[in-house]
Amino acid sequence: MTRTRSLRAFVALGVVATALTGCSAADTSSDTPVTEDTEELFARSAEAVIERRTGALLDPPAPADGSRGPVRLSPVLLAEEKVLFGKLARSGGEPARDVEDAYAAARSTVAVDRVTVAGDTATARMVEETALTRRPPPGGGEAVTTEFVAEHRFVFRLGRDRSWTLVAAEPLGGPPVPDNQLPRD
């Protein structure tokens, strides 16, 4: 068999093996496979976190149900999220919550950009798209919508029971900081 045929056979075998195992394009460096279902689980988990944060900006704030979402939050992350929710709810976005242009509605989606796995830890880079709509001005007029795209890093840890726990969630990149985040100290 020529070198070219060997290379083609090797590539074809890799494509077939990937299709049969259900693995995605994730970069895995361990025996913990990240399937499309796992990537979807990560995206839904990240979306639940982002929706909670964004909901804090609404008037009135959406409830901060820390248990909502397809995976557990680690106790440390849950405590951090409660503090962040409180700060965001108090800020209400700018300007202050008691003026007529407080946020009245929000819509967020999250997509997986890339997942890397090392041992029992998966790091997912996510892209958030959020739209925040302010109340219409008194006396009529259109409500103003602010839209932004932000990148985040979510870290998941695989437990002994083979279920994932979200252990870290942080924005990537620099200013401007999206309305549903606080600047890093």
Side-chain angles (χ1 to χ4, degrees), residues 148-164:
F148 61 87
V149 175
E151 292 181 319
H152 301 270
R153 181 176 74 99
F154 289 84
V155 180
F156 299 85
R157 185 134 313 118
L158 187 62
R160 288 186 182 139
D161 64 353
R162 307 302 290 166
S163 66
W164 292 99

Side-chain angles (χ1 to χ4, degrees), residues 2-154:
T2 68
R3 182 180 164 116
T4 304
R5 281 188 181 163
S6 296
L7 181 59
R8 284 184 190 152
F10 179 75
V11 170
L13 184 60
V15 170
V16 170
T18 299
L20 291 176
T21 61
C23 288
S24 67
D27 173 19
T28 58
S29 56
S30 73
D31 60 353
T32 306
V34 177
T35 64
E36 286 183 33
D37 289 343
T38 304
E39 282 190 12
E40 177 62 27
L41 177 75
F42 291 167
R44 287 193 331 264
S45 301
E47 198 164 83
V49 169
I50 295 298
E51 285 175 351
R52 261 193 306 278
R53 291 177 181 178
T54 304
L57 298 173
L58 300 180
D59 184 24
D65 179 6
S67 63
R68 202 177 117 248
V71 300
R72 293 184 308 269
L73 272 63
S74 71
V76 170
L77 183 59
L78 188 56
E80 289 173 2
E81 286 295 310
K82 285 181 181 179
V83 169
L84 179 62
F85 183 90
K87 288 179 180 178
L88 289 170
R90 281 191 298 282
S91 76
E94 292 298 329
R97 181 176 296 289
D98 59 354
V99 295
E100 59 271 0
D101 59 342
Y103 292 122
R107 178 182 73 256
S108 295
T109 60
V110 176
V112 176
D113 180 39
R114 193 174 102 195
V115 176
T116 57
V117 178
D120 65 351
T121 302
T123 302
R125 184 180 178 121
M126 307 281 190
V127 177
E128 162 199 6
E129 293 183 22
T130 293
L132 295 160
T133 303
R134 296 195 183 274
R135 284 206 164 90
E142 286 192 39
V144 176
T145 299
T146 300
E147 296 180 311
F148 61 87
V149 175
E151 292 181 319
H152 301 270
R153 181 176 74 99
F154 289 84

